[in-house]
Amino acid sequence: MIIEPRIRGFICITAHPAGCAQHVHDQVAAVRAKGPIADFPKRVLVLGCSGGYGLSSRVVAAFGGGAATVGVSFEREPAENRTASAGWYNNRAFEHEAAAASLPAVTLDGDAFSAEMKARTVEAIRETLGGQVDLVVYSLAAPTRTDPTGRTWRSAIKPIGDPVTVKTLNTDKGEVFETTLQPATDEEIEGTVKVMGGEDWELWIEALKAAGVLAPGFRTVSYTYIGSELTWPIYWKATLGKAKEDLDRAARAIRAKYGDEAARVVTLKAVVTQASSAIPVVPLYGVVLFKVMQEQDLHEDILEHIDRLFRSRFTRQPNDLDEAGRIRLDDWELSAPVQTEVLRRWPLISTETLPEFADLALFRSDFLKIFGFGLAGVDYAADVDPRVVPDLSGAA
Ligand code: NAD
């Protein structure tokens, strides 16, 4: 079939196997071009490995750090006449690249919140990582979670307290408009903390410990976002922020059990991913931010950002941490020159002024790339089997 993007709201319901393979291949090539990362953990588990920050973490760990990896994600398989989800293609492409580089890699597909997946992962660590894991990257972004009691929780992206009126962007139409968001109920706040907070992270570490597969001196990281005051009403001071505060609590709890170096929350920059595209305000803030950061020579794509984490901030000096003990990789995004300029532009932004003040083209191209579209070197007119991911590991 000829596969084209079919965008529905915040999601593209098709994905291109050759495009996703190219996207992964390009990330592998970008890490390799920077050379190996010294003293990197060699046995790595990535939860949420199929896209966004998790995929980049796995690529940097393997092709920069030389690590064997186990990945866990929840993706849709292809059928004869239906494409897989992008993450399913990314996983296959990653496996091709890893095999060609003789890096052990296994990917498990299913619900990371379940006890069953934790048990399967322990088995995979025994089989693929020689029985121990040195680094656990927790990069799940999910709408729902069924906890160990069987109760299903749903996350909500809502303000807390009063309704909030914010500027936002329809990325499809390029229209800037105001929207009013109603505040979350207590139950919605609790649900968001249950889904996106730290409880499941702790359960993973406990399960790995109980199975005896945590290496002495193991480390674990989980990703968070704080962002600028422009997004606080819908992020940091809202339901998602409450969940992210709970990650900080979980990190402290893991450190209390396993030592001061064991667990860190890492504050990352805003990038275009499936998860972030669904959050109101964030795409508008993102398009302004991307333009300002490019102008100031500070723009990083998702791979460059994670590469900087593992290459230069992971082995850290104590004074690199903020007051909550987090590693701050959002230092460039939140630097005074960047934020001053974003704040100056914000009241001036409208549908008409968007091209002058923001980079919507970059957002759109990053969004399409998530699904394997718009990548150089891919023949999108070709008739492809949606069940087959080409092996590009030998390509230039
Ligand atoms: P993403 O949507 O690109 O990836 C989410 C991953 O989670 C995918 O691999 C998906 O398969 C997996 N997943 C979802 N539900 C699952 C389940 N039940 N079982 C197994 N796997 C499941 O998301 P992302 O934007 O890369 O977010 C990852 C983390 O980074 C989140 O904690 C997010 O808050 C954080 N973060 C994101 C941004 C951003 O701008 N995107 C910024 C800072 C921090």
Side-chain angles (χ1 to χ4, degrees):
M1 60 198 271
I2 312 282
I3 304 173
E4 290 176 341
R6 281 168 58 199
I7 296 170
R8 302 277 179 276
F10 313 115
I11 187 101
C12 177
I13 58 173
T14 52
H16 200 285
C20 289
Q22 186 68 48
H23 196 201
V24 172
H25 183 72
D26 291 349
Q27 293 205 20
V28 170
V31 179
R32 282 204 170 120
K34 288 174 181 280
I37 302 174
D39 302 324
F40 195 81
K42 289 290 179 280
R43 299 162 299 184
V44 176
L45 168 63
V46 181
L47 304 167
C49 66
S50 61
Y53 275 128
L55 174 62
S56 295
S57 301
R58 194 178 191 191
V59 168
V60 174
F63 298 94
T69 58
V70 171
V72 176
S73 60
F74 208 177
E75 297 297 340
R76 189 188 68 232
E77 286 187 5
E80 196 180 339
N81 290 315
R82 197 194 64 199
T83 72
S85 57
W88 192 90
Y89 291 139
N90 291 339
N91 288 338
R92 301 297 84 75
F94 180 91
E95 288 159 1
H96 287 148
E97 300 280 346
S102 303
L103 291 165
V106 71
T107 313
L108 305 176
D109 198 42
D111 182 10
F113 297 126
S114 69
E116 186 219 338
M117 180 53 86
K118 293 177 174 79
R120 280 175 64 196
T121 303
V122 165
E123 282 316 305
I125 291 169
R126 291 195 176 118
E127 280 164 24
T128 307
L129 304 186
Q132 291 206 308
V133 62
D134 305 300
L135 171 63
V136 179
V137 176
Y138 191 93
S139 187
L140 298 176
T144 61
R145 167 180 168 229
T146 301
D147 74 12
T149 70
R151 178 158 178 193
T152 298
W153 302 89
R154 182 164 292 279
S155 69
I157 304 173
K158 291 192 173 181
I160 291 177
D162 298 316
V164 165
T165 299
V166 282
K167 249 188 199 180
T168 191
L169 172 67
N170 179 323
T171 52
D172 237 1
K173 297 186 178 148
E175 280 172 13
V176 178
F177 61 101
E178 282 205 337
T179 183
T180 298
L181 304 158
Q182 294 306 318
T185 62
D186 288 347
E187 202 184 345
E188 286 171 324
I189 298 170
E190 190 187 7
T192 311
V193 173
K194 286 281 181 185
V195 179
M196 289 297 288
E199 190 175 89
D200 183 63
W201 184 24
E202 290 180 274
L203 289 174
W204 266 100
I205 300 304
E206 277 171 31
L208 299 174
K209 175 68 181 172
V213 297
L214 284 177
F218 83 93
R219 295 178 66 181
T220 182
V221 290
S222 186
Y223 296 148
T224 197
Y225 184 67
I226 294 179
S228 119
E229 64 190 72
L230 293 170
T231 58
W232 283 353
I234 190 62
Y235 201 101
W236 186 242
K237 303 235 157 126
T239 47
L240 283 168
K242 281 280 170 242
K244 294 301 192 184
E245 268 176 30
D246 190 60
L247 272 191
D248 293 329
R249 176 205 57 74
R252 284 193 300 275
I254 299 170
R255 286 199 291 272
K257 276 193 194 159
Y258 301 101
D260 203 35
E261 290 311 309
R264 291 289 162 204
V265 169
V266 183
T267 312
L268 299 176
K269 69 171 284 216
V271 289
V272 185
T273 66
Q274 289 195 52
S276 69
S277 306
I279 306 172
V281 191
V282 169
L284 182 60
Y285 169 73
V287 295
V288 180
L289 178 76
F290 298 161
K291 181 136 181 164
V292 170
M293 290 188 82
Q294 286 176 97
E295 286 169 3
Q296 299 190 11
D297 227 5
L298 291 173
H299 182 75
E300 291 169 308
D301 65 21
I302 188 161
L303 192 274
E304 290 165 333
H305 195 55
I306 290 297
D307 186 273
R308 179 158 69 95
L309 167 65
F310 286 134
R311 202 172 286 275
S312 63
R313 298 296 302 278
F314 194 54
T315 315
R316 54 164 196 86
Q317 301 303 311
N319 61 4
D320 278 347
L321 301 177
D322 72 7
E323 72 295 341
R326 307 180 199 101
I327 298 175
R328 297 300 295 257
L329 215 70
D330 57 354
D331 47 352
W332 296 359
E333 171 178 342
L334 296 187
S335 64
V338 169
Q339 285 303 317
T340 307
E341 184 54 22
V342 172
L343 280 170
R344 186 189 72 79
R345 290 181 190 197
W346 196 255
L348 307 174
I349 280 280
S350 64
T351 305
E352 292 68 38
T353 61
L354 201 64
E356 187 187 341
F357 292 125
D359 195 339
L360 178 57
L362 179 62
F363 180 98
R364 284 179 172 156
S365 126
D366 280 358
F367 182 78
L368 284 172
K369 275 187 192 165
I370 296 174
F371 305 94
F373 297 106
L375 284 119
V378 178
D379 179 3
Y380 290 101
D383 194 353
V384 297
D385 183 337
R387 294 164 300 185
V388 178
V389 180
D391 183 350
L392 302 183
S393 59

